[in-house]
Structures are given as structure tokens and as C-alpha cells.
Amino acid sequence: MKNLKKFRFLTAFLCLFISAKSLSQNNPRPAMPTQQNKIIVDKIVEAVHYKTYVIDFCLSKINEASAKQGWNEQKAMEITESINYKNFRDAIYNSFAFYDEVELETLLKAYEKDTAYQTKNVMIANKVLANNLNIFANDIVLGKYISK
């Protein structure tokens, strides 16, 4: 009987300890570049016309979903108006977070100098960024960015 009381106490203590430990854990923040590096990343995005690519990609996903699901014109317009590049910008910053300023400047110069980078989108070569863009576009299609 005495062992049973000790076992109950130990069990209750462990449950309390485990709960307190799991509540204290925080979600890690995504890595972001410095303020100066963000400026360079913005110039890279401009040089390779990635903002246009993001918007065009989202529009094609919207048109595909609209045709498949038979949306009316009002719903398609409402979803289209919810496209905001700023909602995707942090994913781009995150993909460049581990580059230093010299590496970013080198990339920028290469992208500005070679017009081939401006005709084909080099940023989709980053599989993580391409996957994030696909998720972002699907969320737009689902209406997650519509302001109410």
C-alpha cells in the first residue's frame, strides 16, 4: 500500500514536470538576413523580376482553380485581389539568410550583368523557395489571404 502511494505521487510529479517542460518550449523563429542584406536581397528580386514571377505564378494557380471549380467572376476577382507579394517576402529573405553581404553583392552583380537571368527565373532553382511559393499560391487559392 505504501508503495502504491509512492507510485501515485511519482506519477503525478512526472506528469506535472513533463507538462511544465512542454509548455516552456518556444517555436524557433525563421532565420532572417540583416537589414543591409535585406536591401541587397530586394535588389536581387528586382534584378531577376521575381516579384512579377510570384504574382504571375499565383495568377496561374487562381486561373487553374477557377476553371476547375467553376468560380464566378466575383470570387475569382476577390481571390486575385488578395495576392500581396509582401506576404511572401519573408520566405525569400529566409532563403538568403545564410549569405553574407559579399556573397549577396556578387549574386546581385551577376544577375544584373547577365540578361539570361532576367528571362528565366533563377530563383526557382532553390527547391525550398519553389515549394514555399507553391504553398503560398495554394493558400491564396484557398482564400487564406482575403481580408474580411
Side-chain angles (χ1 to χ4, degrees):
M1 187 71 155
K2 206 172 202 182
N3 286 339
L4 187 58
K5 284 185 179 182
K6 287 182 181 178
F7 182 72
R8 283 185 188 167
F9 176 74
L10 183 61
T11 305
F13 179 74
L14 283 175
C15 288
L16 190 66
F17 177 74
I18 291 170
S19 315
K21 180 67 177 165
S22 51
L23 289 175
S24 68
Q25 295 177 356
N26 295 329
N27 291 333
R29 294 183 52 110
M32 288 292 167
T34 64
Q35 233 14 68
Q36 178 60 34
N37 287 358
K38 282 182 181 181
I39 293 168
I40 300 168
V41 170
D42 288 338
K43 289 178 183 178
I44 290 171
V45 166
E46 191 176 313
V48 297
H49 307 288
Y50 194 64
K51 182 177 179 181
T52 305
Y53 178 80
V54 168
I55 293 169
D56 289 346
F57 185 83
C58 292
L59 286 172
S60 70
K61 285 282 192 178
I62 291 169
N63 290 337
E64 182 182 313
S66 178
K68 231 183 227 182
Q69 299 171 11
W71 293 351
N72 62 26
E73 193 173 316
Q74 181 184 0
K75 180 175 181 174
M77 186 58 73
E78 186 178 21
I79 297 285
T80 300
E81 288 173 351
S82 72
I83 298 172
N84 186 347
Y85 169 76
K86 289 180 182 179
N87 292 330
F88 186 67
R89 189 173 49 196
D90 283 350
I92 295 169
Y93 288 154
N94 177 257
S95 69
F96 286 99
F98 301 104
Y99 290 86
D100 64 24
E101 190 173 341
V102 173
E103 292 170 321
L104 289 173
E105 285 288 348
T106 304
L107 277 173
L108 177 59
K109 287 176 185 168
Y111 292 159
E112 288 176 334
K113 188 167 101 175
D114 192 349
T115 55
Y117 291 124
Q118 297 164 13
T119 56
K120 64 177 183 175
N121 202 300
V122 295
M123 301 213 16
I124 58 169
N126 180 333
K127 291 187 188 279
V128 173
L129 193 56
N131 186 48
N132 286 343
L133 177 57
N134 198 33
I135 292 168
F136 176 68
N138 287 335
D139 285 350
I140 287 176
V141 167
L142 293 173
K144 291 185 179 182
Y145 290 95
I146 295 175
S147 58
K148 300 191 181 198

